[in-house]
Amino acid sequence: MRITLRQLQIFEAVVHTGSVTAAAEMVSISQPAASQALRELEALLGRPLFRRHGKRLQITPQARLLLPQARSVLSQIEQIESMGTDDELSGSLHLASSVSVGNYLLPEQMASFRQKYPNIRFNLDIGNTQHVIQQLLTGKAEVGFIEGYCQHAELTTQIWRRDELVVFGSSQEERPEDLSWEDLQEADWVMREVGSGTRNILEQAIGKSTTQLNVVLSLAHMEAVKQAVIHKMGLGCLSRMAISQELNSGLIRLYNTPLELNRNLLIVIPKNTTLTKNAQGFVDQCYEMVST
């Protein structure tokens, strides 16, 4: 017996969904047939491909090595099937991104890529930096985009572009344009949640110059941070690209501070992994659009 495309499809779908039932629905076969295909693939390889974690299945370290090869095979089949079109690339591309990058930079990148390759299908998972790292480690994403730092032993990072964080407040509040260390320490703050790249950069910039900031509200979404600041709950710190609309509308104002808040935006991929043609093509375009 040899490995079949259906087995590889089920394997990749289970990685993506974390469930055999959901994977079966994704590839339009019955759940028993999907389970049988997965068991046959594990028997052929002589090793388990998933371990159960609560109600979800998580990929094993050995299966993580199989994943890029399986995706490459499936991508090549999709490209063969589309040979009658003018597209060089087709099929799916799984990305994970931190919030700022996913909301404000990747939409333009994906739109440009699909103009060249209309048969590409994107799946973009947006969360904080730790979430992106987890998506890469579990094989749910092929390429990650984050702000700040990533020193995980199983991942490799490449600097993509630069970004600037800014401190801002409600335009209805009266504060001096220049804020000192003492002003920053005495102010109330509205921050992203622990684990976000934005918060990590701010906390590292503050370092030992002040005691811990007075965080009155921690939020998982940038829009919520902006709205809380607009309603005078405290100072905020976000990427400049995320607040341009509110700044132009006069809802917020920027402050000068002694903080150094420039950061790198990073492209992250699993180590010892060969990207599929779709993923490599998208990464190449990301660098090209920065340089033009």
Side-chain angles (χ1 to χ4, degrees):
M1 183 182 297
R2 294 183 177 181
I3 294 175
T4 67
L5 290 176
R6 177 62 77 189
Q7 291 166 352
L8 294 180
Q9 285 178 321
I10 292 297
F11 167 64
E12 200 276 339
V14 173
V15 170
H16 182 64
T17 63
S19 161
V20 175
T21 301
E25 183 176 348
M26 185 175 178
V27 300
S28 302
I29 65 172
S30 67
Q31 189 274 334
S35 296
Q36 179 64 26
L38 191 59
R39 285 194 297 269
E40 290 174 352
L41 181 58
E42 290 179 324
L44 285 167
L45 297 175
R47 65 191 63 182
L49 299 176
F50 299 93
R51 56 174 176 264
R52 184 164 293 281
H53 184 77
K55 295 183 178 181
R56 298 182 65 81
L57 296 176
Q58 290 189 344
I59 191 171
T60 63
Q62 298 90 343
R64 197 178 302 152
L65 298 176
L66 170 65
L67 183 59
Q69 299 177 60
R71 281 178 170 156
S72 179
V73 170
L74 295 173
S75 177
Q76 290 178 52
I77 292 299
E78 289 180 319
Q79 289 169 35
I80 291 172
E81 291 175 344
S82 65
M83 284 181 66
T85 70
D86 294 330
D87 303 325
E88 180 183 352
L89 300 180
S90 63
S92 59
L93 177 53
H94 302 281
L95 307 174
S97 172
S98 53
V99 178
S100 297
V101 179
N103 284 338
Y104 298 100
L105 293 178
L106 287 187
E108 179 185 7
Q109 297 286 344
M110 292 187 294
S112 177
F113 201 66
R114 286 204 79 240
Q115 285 180 354
K116 292 185 287 187
Y117 309 113
N119 287 332
I120 288 288
R121 301 186 305 276
F122 284 101
N123 185 292
L124 174 60
D125 194 328
I126 297 178
N128 65 29
T129 296
Q130 292 305 313
H131 177 77
V132 174
I133 290 172
Q134 187 63 23
Q135 293 296 98
L136 290 166
L137 293 176
T138 57
K140 293 185 182 341
E142 300 172 70
V143 183
F145 297 82
I146 64 172
E147 311 110 355
Y149 303 95
C150 174
Q151 297 180 331
H152 198 285
E154 296 182 46
L155 301 174
T156 182
T157 62
Q158 304 168 11
I159 295 176
W160 177 28
R161 59 195 297 170
R162 296 282 286 170
D163 185 33
E164 178 190 9
L165 299 182
V166 292
V167 175
F168 64 100
S170 171
S171 58
Q172 301 177 46
E173 290 183 308
E174 294 186 3
R175 298 180 191 267
E177 184 177 353
D178 298 305
L179 300 181
S180 65
W181 287 112
E182 183 178 358
D183 294 328
L184 298 177
Q185 184 175 337
E186 292 178 352
D188 292 338
W189 285 83
V190 180
M191 285 193 180
R192 289 286 310 282
E193 80 283 11
V194 174
S196 76
T198 299
R199 181 162 179 163
N200 290 340
I201 293 295
L202 176 60
E203 291 176 341
Q204 290 178 14
I206 291 169
K208 298 180 181 179
S209 298
T210 72
T211 57
Q212 187 173 1
L213 295 180
N214 182 32
V215 181
V216 298
L217 189 59
S218 295
L219 297 164
H221 301 288
M222 287 190 299
E223 292 302 318
V225 172
K226 290 187 285 186
Q227 289 301 315
V229 171
I230 288 170
H231 288 86
K232 301 186 290 187
M233 291 196 67
L235 294 177
C237 180
L238 292 173
S239 169
R240 180 182 287 272
M241 62 185 170
I243 63 166
S244 58
Q245 184 174 353
E246 290 77 13
L247 186 61
N248 292 336
S249 300
L251 296 173
I252 61 173
R253 57 177 296 198
L254 301 185
Y255 295 102
N256 299 318
T257 75
L259 298 171
E260 293 291 335
L261 294 172
N262 292 326
R263 63 181 177 180
N264 291 322
L265 303 182
L266 306 176
I267 293 177
V268 190
I269 60 174
K271 282 186 176 178
N272 304 316
T273 296
T274 301
L275 294 177
T276 62
K277 289 184 178 181
N278 291 347
Q280 187 62 61
F282 187 72
V283 169
D284 291 344
Q285 178 196 265
C286 288
Y287 285 114
E288 290 168 3
M289 289 182 68
V290 172
S291 62
T292 56

